[in-house]
């Protein structure tokens, strides 16, 4: 199984948690998870990712490698989001998405009505 990881934005913490509550009441999204952290560091992101492989039955090594590779290959994007998070203030969080490729594609297709 192939995985993808991306930072998708900065959000007020209450808004993210409200959205997460709404999605837990919906039918299973499959293999797409949205994560949050107050810090834009590799360690902080890995802490949020660690419990997911066990919960979802994913390959732990591949998931962690996906996050690390994102971190190594996207320095400019990471700097951008780090600055946005600082500018947004303490009540905001960094939001990231971790997904298996097939599930993410299905989610995008459902948004487009396919």
């Amino acid at each position: 199984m192939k995985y993808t990881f991306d930072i998708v934005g900065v959000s007020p913490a209450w808004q993210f948690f409200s959205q997460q509550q709404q999605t837990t009441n919906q039918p299973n999204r499959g293999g797409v998870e949205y994560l949050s952290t107050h810090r834009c560091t590799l360690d902080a992101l890995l802490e949020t990712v660690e419990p997911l492989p066990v919960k979802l039955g994913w390959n732990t090594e591949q998931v962690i490698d996906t996050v690390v590779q994102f971190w190594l290959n996207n320095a400019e994007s990471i700097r951008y989001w780090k600055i946005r998070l600082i500018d947004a203030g303490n009540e905001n969080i960094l939001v990231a998405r971790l997904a298996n490729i097939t599930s993410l594609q299905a989610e995008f297709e459902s948004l487009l009505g396919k």
Side-chain angles (χ1 to χ4, degrees):
M1 188 177 303
K2 263 191 119 168
Y3 305 97
T4 180
F5 178 85
D6 199 12
I7 296 173
V8 295
V10 172
S11 171
W14 64 268
Q15 188 175 22
F16 176 79
F17 291 115
S18 175
Q19 182 66 29
Q20 288 293 91
Q21 285 298 111
Q22 290 175 8
T23 59
T24 57
N25 297 330
Q26 294 176 351
N28 191 356
R29 286 190 318 257
V32 180
E33 292 289 326
Y34 290 88
L35 314 162
S36 68
T37 180
H38 286 284
R39 298 175 292 136
C40 185
T41 65
L42 178 57
D43 289 342
L45 290 168
L46 288 174
E47 283 177 24
T48 65
V49 166
E50 282 177 351
L52 292 179
V54 173
K55 173 182 153 189
L56 300 171
W58 290 353
N59 181 301
T60 302
E61 275 186 42
Q62 286 180 336
V63 167
I64 291 172
D65 185 58
T66 298
V67 176
V68 171
Q69 289 304 313
F70 173 85
W71 195 264
L72 293 174
N73 296 322
N74 295 283
E76 193 168 316
S77 175
I78 292 164
R79 271 192 298 276
Y80 172 83
W81 288 116
K82 194 175 279 196
I83 291 167
R84 295 291 73 77
L85 182 60
I86 291 167
D87 289 347
N90 292 337
E91 294 181 12
N92 293 280
I93 54 176
L94 186 72
V95 179
R97 179 184 56 231
L98 177 66
N100 73 49
I101 299 285
T102 305
S103 295
L104 184 60
Q105 181 180 0
E107 184 172 288
F108 287 155
E109 287 174 356
S110 74
L111 290 172
L112 297 172
K114 292 185 178 186

